[in-house]
Amino acid sequence: MSIVARSKSDNPVVINDPQAIRALAHEARLEALEELFASQSSRTATELASRCKLTPSAMSYHLRALEKYGYVERAASEGDARERRWKAAGDRLIVESFNQAPSAKGAFLNVQLGAFRDRLAVEIARREAEAKAGIEPPEDRAPVLTTGMVFLNDDQREEFMTRVYDLMREYEAMAGPEERSVDAKRVYYMLSILPEFEESEDAAGDQPWTRPGLPKR
């Protein structure tokens, strides 16, 4: 898992404790982490609550839980000092040793995939409503979901991954403070590049996981 906005300094938060991984198995916590790590800006509990559809008090509870496991930390006050601000504890988040916590892994995957499935459903419903209203879609509109398979040797696979991730880094680097604000337009993506392995080769399963965007480099 890697929730990323890359900066020139590389300051990853590495998590390998099963309890800390299990703490991620909540949709609002994942969304708050995504916001903080991707924006690399501070947010109040009220700002995050509005994005996560929670009350500020409930969001504060989740932020304190994330702070306990080292995901987030308190930030300097801005303007009204009465409301606490929060920020990501680093510039990217890496979950390691996933194979040592199968139940935590399953809970985390279910929440993460469920959240993305909900976003897909909302987008499908929006497009269907536009079609019923007679609104013509743009010719270059991307499909809601694209899956596929390519045939690559080891060198080609490495090049493919590098080019895809470099493109994401390029666009992440374009975003300034205004583009990373609470009210900025967001585009969500989920990327999974899975090489084919025989079951015996995959048994070890000891590679770190990354989300959503960049892998451990």
Side-chain angles (χ1 to χ4, degrees):
M1 169 178 177
S2 176
I3 301 177
V4 180
R6 286 278 180 162
S7 64
K8 290 182 179 179
S9 63
D10 195 8
N11 178 31
V13 176
V14 181
I15 302 296
N16 53 29
D17 175 64
Q19 289 300 318
I21 297 171
R22 188 179 295 279
L24 293 174
H26 190 288
E27 185 176 343
R29 293 182 184 181
L30 278 178
E31 189 162 351
L33 283 177
E34 187 171 67
E35 177 71 17
L36 294 174
F37 275 88
S39 71
Q40 287 294 290
S41 301
S42 67
R43 300 282 190 262
T44 66
T46 299
E47 290 170 336
L48 292 170
S50 67
R51 298 204 58 81
C52 299
K53 298 178 176 59
L54 294 177
T55 64
S57 60
M59 192 73 252
S60 293
Y61 167 80
H62 289 303
L63 287 166
R64 289 194 296 271
L66 292 172
E67 180 188 33
K68 173 184 176 182
Y69 291 108
Y71 293 110
V72 302
E73 58 190 25
R74 316 294 173 100
S77 298
E78 299 176 11
D80 188 353
R82 291 175 298 178
E83 188 163 16
R84 179 177 299 142
R85 300 191 71 84
W86 298 86
K87 65 179 182 178
D91 59 14
R92 61 178 173 144
L93 176 59
I94 300 173
V95 175
E96 288 189 325
S97 302
F98 239 3
N99 59 308
Q100 296 178 13
S103 61
K105 173 186 66 177
F108 169 78
L109 286 176
N110 287 337
V111 170
Q112 179 159 310
L113 293 174
F116 202 80
R117 183 172 56 247
D118 290 344
R119 287 172 179 158
L120 289 174
V122 169
E123 178 62 14
I124 290 170
R126 184 181 71 82
R127 296 188 183 194
E128 289 176 345
E130 287 180 352
K132 289 179 180 178
I135 300 174
E136 288 292 328
E139 292 183 2
D140 60 348
R141 182 158 72 176
V144 174
L145 179 65
T146 300
T147 64
M149 178 179 66
V150 289
F151 294 86
L152 304 173
N153 60 35
D154 289 345
D155 290 340
Q156 291 169 330
R157 189 179 74 192
E158 180 67 25
E159 180 186 4
F160 177 71
M161 293 176 62
T162 298
R163 292 175 64 180
V164 169
Y165 290 126
D166 283 348
L167 179 64
M168 288 189 291
R169 289 193 188 94
E170 178 186 345
Y171 278 86
E172 286 172 352
M174 290 180 184
E178 184 174 335
E179 289 81 10
R180 298 179 189 274
S181 70
V182 174
D183 300 321
K185 183 72 174 179
R186 290 157 174 76
V187 174
Y188 295 94
Y189 64 86
M190 176 175 284
L191 176 65
S192 182
I193 300 175
L194 303 176
E196 182 181 39
F197 287 112
E198 296 294 333
E199 185 174 349
S200 59
E201 293 180 276
D202 197 36
D206 59 354
Q207 296 301 310
W209 280 54
T210 61
R211 187 253 181 190
L214 309 183
K216 186 178 180 183
R217 297 295 296 266

